[in-house]
Amino acid sequence: FFVSSDEQETCQTVGQGICDHVLKHRSPQKRPVTIRYRSASLTKLTLHDMGYSMFEGEASIFVPEMSNIYLCEINLLGSSHVGQEKAEVPFSAGQIYVINANCPHTKRWENDGHQMMIKIHQTDMEAAIERTTGMPVREPIVFSNQPQNMAAKTQTLAQMVALISKDIETDQSFFAARSGSSAEELLIELILEALPNNYSHKLKNPEPRLRPRHVRHAVELIHTTATEN
């Protein structure tokens, strides 16, 4: 675990693991926020465990742009508010929320908290859409800005993240030793299915037959050319 009450040190360490951000803490008594942070990398995603302790005041983070990454947050403890330019949407313990790629993000809180986060590159998220729908991605994947309660598939998602996180801490990790990335692909696909986004309807009704990517692109080109002519 990385543990610190220094804002600049925390920004630098967490920024290297997730993305660059600004951390601020407003405290009349000048009592700092203590951050506990650790991360683990797999092939297509990284897992981040962050907890923080507060005596009083309000803390906030701001990310100007989530460049080419999605960040799925599982809130295990505490309440906060999240959003893009303004943190106005309540985010409570027992909820899951996805921060969209290439968008700003802001968050503020006034109490102790604990979150698990999954960082996924935009290309891997798009590859999951192609893999599950059988069609190429034509527009950016955008998740709902409303946190979702843990139930059914979202509960399975949280349990799967907890299982992988616990496993990769061991000396003989099953998931870290895999040469392939099927477990990671399954986790990304579960995020897409469990959390509302603009491809949800296509995920529920995928193409009846999954064709190789180069064939799908060739079919799309043929249809485009025929339409133009």
Side-chain angles (χ1 to χ4, degrees), residues 219-229:
V219 170
E220 184 181 46
L221 178 61
I222 292 171
H223 286 319
T224 302
T225 304
T227 301
E228 291 176 351
N229 293 334

Side-chain angles (χ1 to χ4, degrees), residues 36-52:
R36 301 178 305 282
Y37 170 75
R38 60 180 174 176
S39 64
S41 297
L42 294 172
T43 305
K44 294 188 175 184
L45 52 82
T46 56
L47 302 176
H48 306 268
D49 185 333
M50 182 178 291
Y52 36 83

Side-chain angles (χ1 to χ4, degrees), residues 52 73 75 77-82 87-93 107-111 115:
Y52 36 83
E73 287 197 25
N75 195 353
L77 174 69
S79 60
S80 62
H81 287 77
V82 294
E88 298 178 334
V89 180
F91 184 33
S92 303
K107 178 179 180 180
R108 59 182 174 84
W109 68 95
E110 299 178 358
N111 46 47
Q115 283 95 41

Side-chain angles (χ1 to χ4, degrees), residues 53-153:
S53 300
M54 294 182 62
F55 295 100
E56 47 81 37
E58 179 185 86
S60 65
I61 61 170
F62 177 68
V63 182
E65 183 181 30
M66 300 291 293
S67 300
N68 303 315
I69 62 169
Y70 290 87
L71 191 68
C72 177
E73 287 197 25
I74 303 173
N75 195 353
L76 303 175
L77 174 69
S79 60
S80 62
H81 287 77
V82 294
Q84 291 192 357
E85 299 291 348
K86 295 182 179 180
E88 298 178 334
V89 180
F91 184 33
S92 303
Q95 292 186 317
I96 302 180
Y97 170 71
V98 176
I99 304 169
N100 286 302
N102 306 312
C103 293
H105 171 67
T106 186
K107 178 179 180 180
R108 59 182 174 84
W109 68 95
E110 299 178 358
N111 46 47
D112 294 355
H114 182 198
Q115 283 95 41
M116 286 294 299
M117 293 169 279
I118 309 104
K119 175 183 173 182
I120 306 164
H121 197 277
Q122 181 178 349
T123 55
D124 292 317
M125 193 73 85
E126 291 174 349
I129 288 288
E130 293 193 354
R131 190 167 56 247
T132 53
T133 65
M135 293 297 291
V137 172
R138 296 180 178 178
E139 58 185 34
I141 304 165
V142 180
F143 286 87
S144 168
N145 61 1
Q146 296 296 318
Q148 304 296 309
N149 293 327
M150 289 190 206
K153 288 184 179 180

Side-chain angles (χ1 to χ4, degrees), residues 14 24 34 72 91-92 115-116 120 128 141 164 168 182 191 197 200 211-212 220 224:
V14 177
K24 293 182 179 180
T34 300
C72 177
F91 184 33
S92 303
Q115 283 95 41
M116 286 294 299
I120 306 164
I141 304 165
I164 294 175
I168 60 180
S182 57
I191 290 172
N197 60 80
S200 291
R211 295 168 290 184
E220 184 181 46
T224 302

